[in-house]
């Protein structure tokens, strides 16, 4: 059976701002805009702000009583698309984004009956915001980490905005979305949904 443009898809956006709700967040805003763009391609889903949950440090699927990651993981594993959204701090992804990658490291031990990682059929994309240049470096870090744990990335799988150096304007403070960022978000959504549909019907070969 061939995929069509109407094949239903599920997505989850993990927002890695350091600020818990209800604090405003530029990372949350760009993630929500990305989810809205994905919805135009038949993708439904939800956004989770990691700082609102007790995600314990570690590299296991479950780090014990009170750890919120197992429930979040269930959502990720039930989705076709993972969007990882982070601010830039000191030129790097946030510590929460790094923790998400560390928790995803546990997937290296989880395989299906044919030896494939359970993440092999899933597509990832990245959202980055910050007030200094560094979006390419941060997206490169996240791309490598996500690919290491089995996710596939489409062409142009990042949307980002960075403000002028040494200034205090946040993405959420802008009067309108810059066209370059809006175009990147649209491209991310179209390419990510396209790839996710194809992987859904043409999975990777069994691992030897």
């Amino acid at each position: 059976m061939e995929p069509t443009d109407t094949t239903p898809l599920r997505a989850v956006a993990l927002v890695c701002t350091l600020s818990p709700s209800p604090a405003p967040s530029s990372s949350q805003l760009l993630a929500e805009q990305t989810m809205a763009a994905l919805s135009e391609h038949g993708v439904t889903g939800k956004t989770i702000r990691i700082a609102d949950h007790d995600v314990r440090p570690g590299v296991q699927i479950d780090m014990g009583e009170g750890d919120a990651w197992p429930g979040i993981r269930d959502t990720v594993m039930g989705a076709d698309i993972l969007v990882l959204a982070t601010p830039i701090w000191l030129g790097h992804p946030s510590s929460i984004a790094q923790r998400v990658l560390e928790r995803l490291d546990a997937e290296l031990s989880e395989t299906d009956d044919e030896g494939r990682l359970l993440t092999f059929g899933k597509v990832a994309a990245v959202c980055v915001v910050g007030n200094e240049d560094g979006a390419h470096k941060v997206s490169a870090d996240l791309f490598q980490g996500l690919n290491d744990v089995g996710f596939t990335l489409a062409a142009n799988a990042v949307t980002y905005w960075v403000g002028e150096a040494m200034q205090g304007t946040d993405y959420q403070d802008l009067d309108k979305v810059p066209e370059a960022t809006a175009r990147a978000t649209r491209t991310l959504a179209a390419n990510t949904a396209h790839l996710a549909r194809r992987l859904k019907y043409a999975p990777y070969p069994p691992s030897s």
Side-chain angles (χ1 to χ4, degrees):
M1 182 177 181
E2 291 296 324
T4 69
D5 289 341
T6 58
T7 302
L9 294 173
R10 293 280 299 171
V12 58
L14 302 184
V15 178
C16 298
T17 175
L18 300 181
S19 303
S21 301
S25 164
S26 292
S27 299
Q28 179 88 26
L29 176 59
L30 187 53
E32 290 173 350
Q33 291 169 343
T34 298
M35 294 294 279
L38 283 166
S39 74
E40 297 178 7
H41 297 275
V43 182
T44 60
K46 63 189 296 186
T47 300
I48 300 173
R49 192 185 292 207
I50 299 297
D52 293 342
H53 305 272
D54 186 8
V55 174
R56 304 284 174 83
V59 291
Q60 303 298 321
I61 286 176
D62 190 338
M63 295 303 297
E65 184 177 355
D67 182 20
W69 179 253
I72 294 171
R73 177 186 180 268
D74 286 346
T75 302
V76 172
M77 299 311 291
D80 305 292
I81 296 168
L82 169 63
V83 176
L84 193 58
T86 183
I88 301 170
W89 285 113
L90 301 174
H92 297 276
S94 74
S95 58
I96 290 180
Q98 182 63 32
R99 180 167 297 184
V100 166
L101 290 178
E102 290 163 355
R103 296 305 301 269
L104 286 170
D105 184 78
E107 301 308 322
L108 294 175
S109 301
E110 301 297 315
T111 59
D112 66 13
D113 292 340
E114 295 186 298
R116 294 170 292 207
L117 294 181
L118 303 183
T119 49
F120 268 17
K122 302 182 186 303
V123 179
V126 169
C127 303
V128 182
V129 291
N131 289 325
E132 304 284 349
D133 195 11
H136 285 172
K137 191 269 183 189
V138 168
S139 61
D141 288 349
L142 297 184
F143 280 2
Q144 183 62 50
L146 289 163
N147 189 254
D148 277 351
V149 296
F151 290 88
T152 302
L153 296 115
N156 297 137
V158 62
T159 182
Y160 66 88
W161 177 87
V162 288
E164 184 181 357
M166 301 181 189
Q167 301 298 316
T169 301
D170 285 337
Y171 181 65
Q172 61 190 336
D173 297 330
L174 302 179
D175 293 332
K176 61 180 295 186
V177 177
E179 177 52 32
T181 299
R183 184 169 58 251
T185 301
R186 292 193 299 268
T187 301
L188 177 159
N191 291 354
T192 298
H194 173 85
L195 179 57
R197 285 193 171 93
R198 272 129 194 91
L199 280 179
K200 200 174 184 72
Y201 287 93
Y204 288 113
S207 297
S208 57

